[in-house]
Amino acid sequence: MIRIYLALLLVILAYYVLRAFQKAPPGKVARMLKVFFYVLLAAVFIVLAATGHLNGLFALLGILAAFVVRMLPVLMRYAPYLHRIWLDYVNAKNYSAGRQSGSPGTPKTSMDKAEAYEVLGLKPGASEQDIIAAHRKLMQKIHPDRGGSDYLAAKINLAKKTLLNK
């Protein structure tokens, strides 16, 4: 009989939680999901402790700790690469959101002419038509609408702007 009441309580609770998720803005939904995850984790811990099955959780934590210790040399070897990938991801995310930070992964607001020629793949002293043609060719390949990078598109646009003084 108690199991029926618990099942009914869970169904009612799920109904009200789903209604709250539908009406809430996305930021609040993310916070609610985080709180729900922590409450669920605490409930699982309490149930395991109450039923005497907590030893399985501790065994799992021991296996996880042994795995991390064994993988530590590999992680340390690849840490700089992983860190660089993470920084590139964060910078691209910030740039695409319109928030340019001063970190190395975001395009600068100014560029010298030598760098601009290098970005467009031209030799110094190229004509205005060559600059426009090189810009158009590169943008057709890496435009964000075609799956390209926002960062590279901004860099190419800045190079064209620098060379044409516009």
Side-chain angles (χ1 to χ4, degrees):
M1 190 70 166
I2 291 179
R3 289 183 183 177
I4 294 173
Y5 288 133
L6 284 176
L8 185 60
L9 179 66
L10 284 174
V11 168
I12 292 171
L13 185 64
Y15 172 74
Y16 283 112
V17 167
L18 286 175
R19 281 189 54 200
F21 279 135
Q22 288 176 344
K23 293 180 181 179
K28 190 172 181 180
V29 168
R31 287 190 304 272
M32 290 168 54
L33 284 174
K34 193 181 293 186
V35 168
F36 175 73
F37 174 74
Y38 290 136
V39 167
L40 183 66
L41 197 63
V44 166
F45 185 79
I46 290 171
V47 168
L48 288 175
T51 59
H53 293 95
L54 204 53
N55 56 353
L57 180 64
F58 287 129
L60 183 64
L61 288 175
I63 291 170
L64 184 64
F67 178 75
V68 168
V69 168
R70 289 257 176 152
M71 291 300 294
L72 202 55
V74 175
L75 290 175
M76 293 305 290
R77 185 179 321 132
Y78 292 110
Y81 304 113
L82 295 173
H83 186 255
R84 183 66 190 158
I85 290 170
W86 174 254
L87 286 179
D88 288 344
Y89 167 75
V90 169
N91 290 334
K93 186 176 175 185
N94 286 342
Y95 181 74
S96 67
R99 299 181 306 258
Q100 287 190 5
S101 63
S103 37
T106 58
K108 299 177 277 190
T109 56
S110 65
M111 178 184 293
D112 62 346
K113 289 194 178 215
E115 185 181 1
Y117 281 119
E118 185 180 341
V119 167
L120 292 177
L122 297 171
K123 294 182 180 182
S127 69
E128 183 175 330
Q129 293 159 346
D130 291 338
I131 293 168
I132 292 171
H135 175 267
R136 182 174 290 127
K137 182 179 175 185
L138 286 171
M139 287 303 285
Q140 287 174 348
K141 290 180 182 177
I142 60 137
H143 195 276
D145 291 344
R146 295 184 181 198
S149 165
D150 288 337
Y151 172 79
L152 292 175
K155 193 125 176 134
I156 291 169
N157 286 332
L158 182 60
K160 176 186 171 191
K161 180 181 172 187
T162 301
L163 293 176
L164 297 179
N165 295 323
K166 293 183 179 180

